[in-house]
Amino acid sequence: MLILQDLAKTYRTRAGEVKALDGVSLRIDQGEFIAVCGPSGSGKTTLLMMIAAMLRPSRGTVQFEDRDLYQMTGAARAKFRARNIGFVFQMFHLVPYLNVLENVLLAGAVARSGDGRARAEESLQRLGLGHRIGHRPSELSAGEKQRTAIARALLNRPKLILADEPTGNLDSQNAEGVLRHLQSFQRDGGTIIMATHGLAAQGFATRTIDLREGRLA
Amino acid sequence: MLIIRMIFKEIWHRKVNFLLAVLAATTAVAFLVAFFTASKASERETARLMLSMGYNLHVIAKDADVGVFLMTGLADKTMPEAYVGKLAAQNSISYNHLLATLERKMKWRGVEVILTGLAPEVCPPGQQKQAMTFRVEPGTAYVGHHIAEVLAVQKGDTVDVNGKALRVERCLAEAGGLDDMRIQCSLRDAQEILGLPGRITQIKAVDCLCFEKGDPVTTLRKEIGSILPETQVLQVKSLANARAKQRQMIRNVFAVMLPFVIMACGVWIGVLAIMNVRDRRPEIGLLRALGYDTVQVMLLFLGKALLVGLFGAAAGFLLGTELGLRFGPRVFEITAQAMLRPESSLFVLACILAPLFAMAASLVPTVIAVTYDPATTLREE
Ligand SMILES: Nc1ncnc2c1ncn2[C@@H]1O[C@H](COP(=O)(O)OP(=O)(O)OP(=O)(O)O)[C@@H](O)[C@H]1O
Ligand SMILES: [Mg+2]
């Protein structure tokens, strides 16, 4: 489903060039739950952003099904992303002035994937947030915030979920809950690529990839 | 999720930012509204004063004896009638209501009268105003109150003035001055009666009450002197001139301050918008990640600016009108309250201009917002 070929990213900074990623080739099939591990600075986030069609590689290609992501126009890429990829971030990234339900529905505006509201509510129920629908993010616990983010990622029924240290700000109990929800998405046929430091998280993965200084170890 | 709903929710969430921005827009609009309300009132007051002042400018021939003119109100020398046409042909000048007259003292039926020939009043191009005096048709006469009484002249009589027959159109009401001693007829008739074809003794005019500094008569002399070198100019001084000058000065101070106030408010709105955009970097990154395009993100910020402008227009109009009405009467002592009124057309104007203004002030921050790279913003914190 995903073919990464010789992916490289070099950031140019005032202090000089930083090779964040340096020749990563990878094949990922539908239904996989991939854990991308590696020390801080090894290029995990960079890799995820490239797969997300948000960061143009300095070299190499990303093929999603049969499409080369970086051959598309920016607008097409944005639309493609909205329809096919869900995101979960370490920092949750919920919009502070919208309530839980509205935050989830935010993902539906661009994809226009039918009756979002019913699906959002149902999804929130399943994630144990049925009683929090009208709450603002500031009124939620960290675990609830991350589950809201998962509901948002699931709204458009994406093929792929990209999770960047989704459990980084959670205690072990909440972390496990979040991972279970991700796992159930995978069991329904979805694909997950998750950057993580945690060993517990790696336990849910079907495959673990190790990054060291921008290369596969 | 509708962009419009998001805008309202965000405003509610960050009330202080919004209120401060509205305050800036309010200040700008209030300043403008107060300024224009006062200016309109000023124009109306000037117009009214000009009318009540009557003709206060007198242009007479250069060789006329000023002493005689001041004592009798009559010039003892004539000048070409064509002069009035020359004056009237000028653009951007400081006088209006030009009236050419030919006046001479003469004996009529044993009584000293002033024969006064009146040309139709003319105005310079683009300054057409309603005439300040009546128009005398050829072959008719308007007879002053005293003459009519002493010589028993009546309306409808036909009188003979030095061989010229004139029908009395009207006997004028008592004026208590020189006018009671006049027989007023058309300029042509007067020229014929006096044997002075193509000549006049005086051009009367009204000054514009628009002088900011210096002595108005100096300016007027220079202006008219350059057009008609063979004349001299006298101005009847009045309190109106001094008041007009004071008003012009106040207006000028405002006019100088106006651009600064507007600019300061624009910067103020812009800075608030920048702060708002900074606060919302992660949100912008998220929206981009979710597939929102630049236009939608721009709408989010420009839509907010539009609301800032609309609220500012409404509040600013009320505040500006209130200020104008409260402090205006001190400036416009003569016409005061009667001339000061809310200018509702300004409200419409404010409702159009203020949102455009707020959006323009927010444009740079908005562009900054859409150029944020989501890949960068999403990794922050
Ligand atoms: N925008 C940028 N400009 C310059 N250098 C960058 C930029 N983004 C990332 N880097 C550098 O690229 C390298 C890889 O960063 P990346 O965020 O992908 O690492 P990571 O594996 O996700 O680390 P962590 O586990 O701490 O999140 C790091 O050395 C980082 O300093
Ligand atoms: Mg990272």
Side-chain angles (χ1 to χ4, degrees):
Chain A
M1 168 173 131
L2 255 182
I3 299 171
L4 316 183
Q5 246 167 356
D6 192 28
L7 269 187
K9 180 72 192 180
T10 307
Y11 291 109
R12 278 185 195 84
T13 67
R14 250 168 282 165
E17 296 197 340
V18 179
K19 275 193 179 172
L21 221 54
D22 188 12
V24 171
S25 295
L26 203 61
R27 214 194 129 87
I28 295 164
D29 291 317
Q30 196 206 328
E32 282 198 277
F33 190 148
I34 309 254
V36 181
C37 305
S40 181
S42 57
K44 303 183 293 295
T45 300
T46 304
L47 180 65
L48 255 54
M49 288 293 183
M50 283 188 185
I51 298 172
M54 288 205 290
L55 186 65
R56 183 176 288 280
S58 314
R59 190 180 77 217
T61 56
V62 179
Q63 228 174 302
F64 193 113
E65 292 176 332
D66 316 311
R67 312 179 66 174
D68 186 333
L69 288 187
Y70 294 94
Q71 294 291 330
M72 297 188 217
T73 64
R77 213 162 38 235
K79 210 159 234 157
F80 179 85
R81 181 166 60 234
R83 295 216 173 102
N84 296 293
I85 304 175
F87 291 93
V88 183
F89 307 93
Q90 180 177 359
M91 300 305 307
F92 320 126
H93 286 311
L94 300 177
V95 177
Y97 54 84
L98 299 179
N99 67 28
V100 166
L101 181 64
E102 291 162 341
N103 261 290
V104 174
L105 289 172
L106 205 54
V110 178
R112 294 189 212 291
S113 48
D115 184 14
R117 198 187 168 89
R119 256 184 301 123
E121 280 177 5
E122 185 197 298
S123 169
L124 284 168
Q125 288 289 353
R126 236 181 314 118
L127 287 156
L129 289 168
H131 59 306
R132 288 277 182 261
I133 274 183
H135 287 236
R136 293 277 175 80
S138 58
E139 298 156 359
L140 301 180
S141 72
E144 288 169 329
K145 282 182 194 166
Q146 199 58 304
R147 279 180 278 149
T148 304
I150 290 175
R152 182 178 65 197
L154 292 172
L155 182 74
N156 296 327
R157 298 200 194 90
K159 293 174 179 156
L160 174 67
I161 284 185
L162 297 172
D164 196 352
E165 301 188 30
T167 58
N169 276 333
L170 303 180
D171 60 49
S172 59
Q173 226 178 338
N174 272 309
E176 177 152 345
V178 161
L179 290 164
R180 283 202 188 291
H181 287 298
L182 289 176
Q183 190 176 46
S184 84
F185 166 75
Q186 177 234 342
R187 288 195 172 145
D188 292 341
T191 309
I192 296 175
I193 304 174
M194 172 177 69
T196 182
H197 289 293
L199 280 173
Q202 289 167 38
F204 284 81
T206 57
R207 177 152 61 119
T208 301
I209 287 166
D210 254 316
L211 271 184
R212 289 291 137 98
E213 294 178 5
R215 294 167 187 271
L216 294 182
Chain B
M1 168 111 318
L2 281 166
I3 298 279
I4 296 172
R5 268 194 77 187
M6 287 182 73
I7 291 171
F8 279 106
K9 293 217 161 204
E10 197 275 334
I11 287 173
W12 187 245
H13 184 70
R14 296 192 181 89
K15 295 178 207 68
V16 176
N17 179 287
F18 181 72
L19 287 178
L20 286 175
V22 169
L23 192 64
T26 303
T27 307
V29 171
F31 210 84
L32 270 175
V33 167
F35 176 62
F36 282 113
T37 304
S39 291
K40 274 261 175 83
S42 166
E43 272 167 38
R44 283 192 291 261
E45 179 167 89
T46 302
R48 174 181 282 197
L49 281 175
M50 270 170 65
L51 285 181
S52 67
M53 214 163 52
Y55 298 99
N56 72 333
L57 268 186
H58 303 279
V59 181
I60 58 176
K62 195 170 191 98
D63 54 356
D65 186 328
V66 174
V68 170
F69 179 77
L70 291 176
M71 301 257 287
T72 63
L74 302 175
D76 59 353
K77 293 280 165 14
T78 63
M79 55 189 182
E81 184 187 340
Y83 279 12
V84 69
K86 272 196 188 171
L87 274 190
Q90 304 297 316
N91 278 313
S92 65
I93 42 171
S94 323
Y95 49 81
N96 203 340
H97 296 283
L98 297 166
L99 181 69
T101 61
L102 176 64
E103 297 164 297
R104 271 289 150 88
K105 229 189 272 179
M106 62 181 280
K107 264 237 155 56
W108 186 59
R109 295 188 187 169
V111 178
E112 283 248 290
V113 302
I114 302 169
L115 183 70
T116 305
L118 298 174
E121 196 182 284
V122 289
C123 295
Q127 296 198 55
Q128 295 310 317
K129 299 264 162 67
Q130 195 164 8
M132 297 198 345
T133 188
F134 45 77
R135 187 189 173 113
V136 187
E137 296 300 331
T140 66
Y142 286 61
V143 178
H145 182 76
H146 188 69
I147 302 169
E149 215 171 55
V150 171
L151 300 176
V153 178
Q154 283 188 338
K155 181 178 168 176
D157 289 356
T158 297
V159 294
D160 181 299
V161 185
N162 277 12
K164 174 89 186 166
L166 297 172
R167 190 170 46 77
V168 177
E169 187 71 29
R170 190 137 59 99
C171 294
L172 296 170
E174 188 169 357
L178 221 49
D179 286 350
D180 290 342
M181 297 305 297
R182 289 182 197 273
I183 294 175
Q184 305 191 65
C185 60
S186 76
L187 183 61
R188 286 285 157 277
D189 291 342
Q191 285 167 341
E192 195 184 322
I193 292 165
L194 297 171
L196 290 166
R199 307 297 289 180
I200 56 176
T201 48
Q202 191 188 166
I203 300 169
K204 299 183 188 190
V206 182
D207 94 48
C208 63
L209 289 180
C210 59
F211 298 98
E212 286 158 26
K213 40 183 171 303
D215 187 14
V217 74
T218 316
T219 314
L220 284 162
R221 279 189 180 137
K222 229 198 247 157
E223 217 174 87
I224 296 174
S226 72
I227 305 161
L228 303 173
E230 291 302 308
T231 61
Q232 42 192 336
V233 178
L234 293 142
Q235 187 202 29
V236 181
K237 294 269 162 55
S238 80
L239 208 54
N241 294 81
R243 288 253 169 78
K245 204 169 180 177
Q246 183 189 8
R247 238 177 9 249
Q248 291 290 341
M249 260 161 55
I250 293 170
R251 203 187 126 101
N252 263 16
V253 170
F254 261 82
V256 168
M257 279 167 68
L258 201 61
F260 289 103
V261 172
I262 302 285
M263 212 161 66
C265 291
V267 169
W268 180 359
I269 291 175
V271 167
L272 285 165
I274 287 179
M275 281 166 54
N276 190 235
V277 164
R278 282 183 172 227
D279 278 354
R280 298 170 70 182
R281 273 174 74 112
E283 176 192 338
I284 296 162
L286 173 80
L287 291 175
R288 300 304 295 280
L290 294 178
Y292 286 72
D293 59 30
T294 49
V295 175
Q296 287 165 307
V297 175
M298 283 181 94
L299 281 178
L300 210 53
F301 287 91
L302 290 182
K304 183 177 179 181
L306 187 128
L307 288 175
V308 165
L310 279 181
F311 279 89
F317 177 75
L318 292 178
L319 182 67
T321 302
E322 174 65 25
L323 287 177
L325 296 187
R326 180 157 302 179
F327 296 108
R330 292 194 201 156
V331 183
F332 310 109
E333 290 163 21
I334 296 173
T335 44
Q337 240 91 21
M339 284 293 162
L340 282 161
R341 52 175 185 243
E343 299 288 338
S344 53
S345 61
L346 281 177
F347 180 67
V348 178
L349 201 66
C351 284
I352 296 168
L353 289 185
L356 288 177
F357 171 68
M359 287 198 285
S362 307
L363 199 62
V364 172
T366 303
V367 170
I368 292 174
V370 299
T371 51
Y372 281 150
D373 179 3
T376 310
T377 40
L378 285 174
R379 73 160 75 228
E380 279 172 2
E381 280 174 292

